[in-house]
Amino acid sequence: MTKPRSRRGGGRPTIADVARKAGVGAITVSRALREPGRVSEDLRRQIQAAVDELGYLPDPNARALASARAEVFGVLVPSLTNSVFAEVLRGIYDSLSDSSYRIQLGNTHYSGLEEERLLQVFGPQRPAALIVAGIDQTPTSRRLLETAGCPVVQVMETGPDPVDMMVGFSHFDGGKAATEHMIEMGYRRIGFIGARMDPRSQRRLAGYRAAMEGAGLFDPRLITTTPVPSSVTLGRELFRDALAKVPRLDGVFCNNDDIALGVLFECHRASIAVPMTIGITGFNDLDMMEVAFPSVTSIRTPRYEIGRLSVAMALAAIAGKRPHEPVVDLGFELKCRESTAR
Amino acid sequence: MTKPRSRRGGGRPTIADVARKAGVGAITVSRALREPGRVSEDLRRQIQAAVDELGYLPDPNARALASARAEVFGVLVPSLTNSVFAEVLRGIYDSLSDSSYRIQLGNTHYSGLEEERLLQVFGPQRPAALIVAGIDQTPTSRRLLETAGCPVVQVMETGPDPVDMMVGFSHFDGGKAATEHMIEMGYRRIGFIGARMDPRSQRRLAGYRAAMEGAGLFDPRLITTTPVPSSVTLGRELFRDALAKVPRLDGVFCNNDDIALGVLFECHRASIAVPMTIGITGFNDLDMMEVAFPSVTSIRTPRYEIGRLSVAMALAAIAGKRPHEPVVDLGFELKCRESTAR
DNA sequence: GAGGCGTATGGTAGCGCTACCCATTACGTG
DNA sequence: CACGTAATGGGTAGCGCTACCATACGCCTC
């Protein structure tokens, strides 16, 4: 007669099976697995042997229900295909892959409303931590984050008022540094070209404006933006628009590298000399900017590192070792290349 | 005296609270939420009112434990930053976002062993479906997929022996079509440049080889590959290697668009005329290929659609309406552009 | 009008695990 | 030697939900 198995379990061994085989109580097995330090060496070995023999794997759903805490990191990004967030995600993933935490993905599509909806969905799951992109949550989202009952890390930017923790850099400073570099290199009629214009883009624009005003070069006609999602194609279109508005443009600071690449290709196509006639600066410093011809000046942003550090901070907070400084600015680096080397 | 709340729940309303308020049994609330058709109109309204008033949200962990089924799609991709998989992921996400299914992400880093590990981790969670990239699972992975007890969709490729379902296209045919196009355009010493060389790249190479042999043009020295991960930078390096080996090269079929872009930039840098001296064909047809100067011929692959359809098929299977044809070939499209227009 | 059958609702008993508290033992301490 | 204290292990009682089965009731059939 075979052991009568439950209707649902599908025959998978449970903690009770392990306990029986090891000759201990179920709770001791649970402890041996989660807090090995609190179980004697002997029992721990015995239990491990039973676990291995049965091929026992704890049921994460039962665990989550009993402990009111799921081993899940909720991650909210505004886009899956924007390679900037893909790299943040990769950093998060890599830092989590030796732990037993899982990643649950949310794509806000740059929408505050969608972010609220996702936070509402994530809440009842009792995630171990939440990592969200950006610092401009709606009041509702902010309240949901504050009452989530778990560490929260806002990433990509820094600001004065974190929900809990923050890892990022100053987009304003990045935009300012890029623009000041171009001014320094002798460019005067420097356009700003930007797509999507999410809050981070807005701050880069503000940095651009500050630099231009500081040098007495600002002119609103130099700014060309659109709410349309960014793409290389769009970079070309916007550059044409910008040139139509200001034919004597001698440089462009692009909101991101996709746009910059579109501008570069259009310059080739229209036989506009880069960097002599037009200087180009991008933002983010994707791999290809260095390889492009001419190579393109850009602001290198620590995307992968932001992902890594956000997880490290969240894990520390879970372990009760909250970092002293809740807001970490990872900075950026200006990469000067041929596209602005007049 | 306040209602004594449980030690753990944190005060969230439960199904019992809703049942009490609506004056029905808990099980009826559960049914009204999951199978509205099986509850009378009257009760359904009454229950919905109670749900709204209390702001009740079902606990997904309790649900998963009780039903031995989590509302989770496990998604396994080999890379998060490769924009090809990012778009598949976006397709999956978009198709799932109006349902209550969550996405749990796994990154195999192109490793069969890591894929096995992830499947082992995903198993105990009892996901509602699994979507995995590729069709070359290890025997262990295959067994894990077969015994997962849920619909499985292998994506990106098609093949004769699906674990369950497949959505993709033929990389062999894609490589062959690209190469044949170049031959037709008059190119003769066409190199193959490939990085990473995962199974899909291998099949594209096989397609290239078949086309070259068919035209009596094959020469193993024309092939330049590396196991190193693909990047634009690498495209430049490999192209230099290829030229060093075969100085009279008159075209290259690139394993993917990143490589193609690296080749294009290197041609600019070395003043090699494209398409006259060297023709270039890429693979995947990223947005930027059309904008590049000269625009780059590529094979357009239905990445987003693969993601969408894989979810649609999985959802149909969950609903018991398994598609008649378990393997769907979504094809590809050759985009002829300036880079091969001799 | 007895029996059969389908439909709507509810009760009971878990799902597999852990929080909470208690029991046991070993080891000082005065 | 009674008593505190710490370390170790276990029992009990859920976590919030749903599978399974029972029940009640109306309607049809012959």
Side-chain angles (χ1 to χ4, degrees):
Chain A
M1 188 176 132
T2 56
K3 186 159 53 168
R5 271 260 140 248
S6 96
R7 53 197 155 111
R8 320 190 196 158
R12 223 188 283 276
T14 73
I15 203 169
D17 298 327
V18 176
R20 209 171 308 123
K21 170 145 270 167
V24 299
I27 192 67
T28 307
V29 175
S30 173
R31 255 198 298 262
L33 262 33
R34 291 177 306 130
E35 309 164 88
R38 292 195 41 199
V39 174
S40 69
E41 178 65 26
D42 262 17
L43 273 194
R44 206 166 31 195
R45 255 204 307 273
Q46 216 167 305
I47 289 168
Q48 190 54 52
V51 165
D52 292 343
E53 189 173 340
L54 293 172
Y56 169 72
L57 289 167
D59 180 330
N61 299 127
R63 204 170 242 194
L65 178 59
S67 65
R69 187 54 68 208
E71 290 197 299
V72 168
F73 269 54
V75 177
L76 256 49
V77 292
S79 162
L80 259 18
T81 40
N82 182 331
S83 66
V84 168
F85 297 106
E87 284 193 38
V88 174
L89 194 55
R90 185 168 66 88
I92 292 172
Y93 190 95
D94 286 355
S95 287
L96 238 30
S97 58
D98 348 285
S99 75
S100 57
Y101 289 99
R102 294 161 276 153
I103 290 185
Q104 185 179 327
L105 199 57
N107 181 355
T108 66
H109 289 104
Y110 292 93
S111 151
L113 233 59
E114 179 64 7
E115 186 168 59
E116 288 176 13
R117 195 187 69 79
L118 287 168
L119 287 173
Q120 216 122 35
V121 171
F122 280 28
Q125 268 180 89
R126 305 169 169 290
L130 288 170
I131 298 179
V132 302
I135 63 173
D136 303 278
Q137 281 75 28
T138 63
T140 302
S141 287
R142 200 175 165 99
R143 194 177 41 71
L144 286 166
L145 287 171
E146 278 162 354
T147 59
C150 66
V152 172
V153 189
Q154 293 161 288
V155 296
M156 293 313 288
E157 291 188 73
T158 54
D161 187 25
V163 169
D164 184 4
M165 295 175 278
M166 277 182 179
V167 188
F169 62 92
S170 164
H171 289 253
F172 178 90
D173 290 351
K176 189 148 171 282
T179 310
E180 283 171 347
H181 162 73
M182 293 189 79
I183 295 170
E184 214 168 283
M185 297 309 276
Y187 296 100
R188 287 295 169 266
R189 285 173 301 281
I190 306 163
F192 177 95
I193 300 186
R196 178 78 75 179
M197 297 315 289
D198 61 14
R200 285 167 294 285
S201 300
Q202 297 284 2
R203 285 190 260 278
R204 302 204 274 265
L205 171 54
Y208 157 86
R209 182 170 177 155
M212 291 295 274
E213 284 177 345
L217 296 171
F218 182 69
D219 177 346
R221 288 183 316 130
L222 289 167
I223 297 173
T224 308
T225 66
T226 165
V228 171
S230 179
S231 71
V232 181
T233 314
L234 195 61
R236 173 175 64 181
E237 312 301 335
L238 293 176
F239 179 56
R240 286 178 180 164
D241 293 352
L243 267 187
K245 270 193 305 189
V246 185
R248 297 181 57 224
L249 210 63
D250 67 358
V252 283
F253 167 45
C254 302
N255 186 43
N256 66 42
D257 286 345
D258 285 350
I259 300 287
L261 208 57
V263 171
L264 177 62
F265 283 133
E266 178 60 15
C267 285
H268 278 156
R269 195 167 288 277
S271 298
I272 297 170
V274 178
M276 289 317 292
T277 310
I278 291 269
I280 304 175
T281 299
F283 201 97
N284 280 322
D285 195 28
L286 304 185
D287 160 50
M288 64 183 82
M289 304 320 271
E290 191 181 355
V291 185
F293 179 76
S295 61
V296 179
T297 297
S298 195
I299 298 283
R300 159 118 192 84
T301 56
R303 307 176 290 280
Y304 183 74
E305 292 78 7
I306 286 174
R308 302 275 305 192
L309 187 56
S310 65
V311 168
M313 288 170 75
L315 288 175
I318 289 169
K321 290 177 293 227
R322 215 157 253 288
H324 296 277
E325 187 45 72
V327 178
V328 178
D329 188 333
L330 249 27
F332 55 83
E333 196 185 341
L334 174 67
K335 295 281 190 183
C336 305
R337 303 218 178 84
E338 298 164 350
S339 70
T340 52
R342 233 181 193 171
Chain B
M1 188 176 134
T2 57
K3 185 158 54 169
R5 271 261 140 246
S6 96
R7 53 197 154 113
R8 319 190 194 158
R12 223 188 282 276
T14 73
I15 203 169
D17 298 327
V18 176
R20 208 172 308 123
K21 171 146 268 166
V24 300
I27 191 66
T28 306
V29 174
S30 172
R31 255 198 298 262
L33 261 34
R34 290 177 306 130
E35 309 165 90
R38 293 193 45 197
V39 172
S40 70
E41 177 65 27
D42 262 18
L43 274 194
R44 207 165 32 194
R45 255 203 308 272
Q46 218 166 302
I47 289 168
Q48 190 54 53
V51 165
D52 292 344
E53 189 173 338
L54 292 172
Y56 169 72
L57 288 168
D59 180 328
N61 298 127
R63 203 171 242 194
L65 179 59
S67 64
R69 188 55 68 209
E71 290 197 301
V72 167
F73 269 52
V75 177
L76 256 51
V77 293
S79 161
L80 293 172
T81 39
N82 182 329
S83 66
V84 168
F85 297 106
E87 285 193 36
V88 174
L89 194 55
R90 186 169 64 88
I92 292 171
Y93 190 95
D94 285 356
S95 287
L96 239 29
S97 58
D98 352 282
S99 75
S100 57
Y101 290 99
R102 295 161 275 152
I103 289 185
Q104 186 179 327
L105 200 56
N107 181 356
T108 66
H109 290 104
Y110 292 93
S111 152
L113 234 60
E114 179 63 7
E115 185 168 58
E116 287 176 13
R117 195 187 69 79
L118 286 168
L119 287 173
Q120 215 123 35
V121 171
F122 280 27
Q125 269 179 87
R126 305 171 171 289
L130 287 170
I131 298 179
V132 302
I135 63 173
D136 303 278
Q137 280 76 28
T138 63
T140 303
S141 286
R142 200 175 164 99
R143 194 177 43 67
L144 286 167
L145 287 171
E146 277 161 354
T147 59
C150 67
V152 172
V153 190
Q154 292 161 289
V155 297
M156 292 314 287
E157 293 188 72
T158 54
D161 188 25
V163 169
D164 183 4
M165 296 175 279
M166 277 183 178
V167 188
F169 61 92
S170 165
H171 289 253
F172 178 90
D173 290 352
K176 190 150 171 280
T179 311
E180 283 171 348
H181 162 74
M182 294 191 79
I183 295 170
E184 213 169 284
M185 298 309 277
Y187 295 100
R188 288 295 169 266
R189 285 173 303 281
I190 305 163
F192 177 95
I193 299 186
R196 179 75 78 178
M197 297 314 290
D198 62 13
R200 287 167 293 285
S201 301
Q202 296 285 2
R203 284 190 261 278
R204 303 204 275 266
L205 170 54
Y208 157 86
R209 181 169 179 157
M212 290 297 274
E213 283 177 343
L217 295 171
F218 182 71
D219 177 345
R221 287 184 317 131
L222 290 168
I223 296 172
T224 308
T225 66
T226 167
V228 170
S230 179
S231 70
V232 181
T233 314
L234 196 60
R236 173 175 64 181
E237 311 301 333
L238 292 176
F239 179 55
R240 286 177 179 164
D241 293 351
L243 266 187
K245 269 193 304 188
V246 184
R248 297 181 59 223
L249 210 63
D250 68 357
V252 283
F253 167 44
C254 302
N255 186 43
N256 65 42
D257 286 345
D258 285 350
I259 300 287
L261 208 57
V263 171
L264 177 63
F265 283 133
E266 178 61 15
C267 286
H268 278 155
R269 194 166 289 276
S271 297
I272 297 170
V274 178
M276 289 317 291
T277 309
I278 290 269
I280 303 174
T281 300
F283 201 96
N284 280 324
D285 195 29
L286 303 185
D287 161 50
M288 64 184 81
M289 304 320 272
E290 191 181 355
V291 184
F293 179 75
S295 62
V296 179
T297 297
S298 195
I299 298 282
R300 159 119 192 85
T301 56
R303 307 176 290 280
Y304 183 74
E305 293 77 8
I306 287 174
R308 301 276 303 190
L309 188 56
S310 64
V311 168
M313 288 171 75
L315 287 176
I318 289 169
K321 288 178 295 226
R322 215 158 253 289
H324 297 277
E325 188 45 71
V327 178
V328 178
D329 187 334
L330 250 26
F332 55 82
E333 196 185 342
L334 174 67
K335 295 281 192 184
C336 306
R337 302 217 178 82
E338 297 164 352
S339 71
T340 53
R342 234 181 190 170

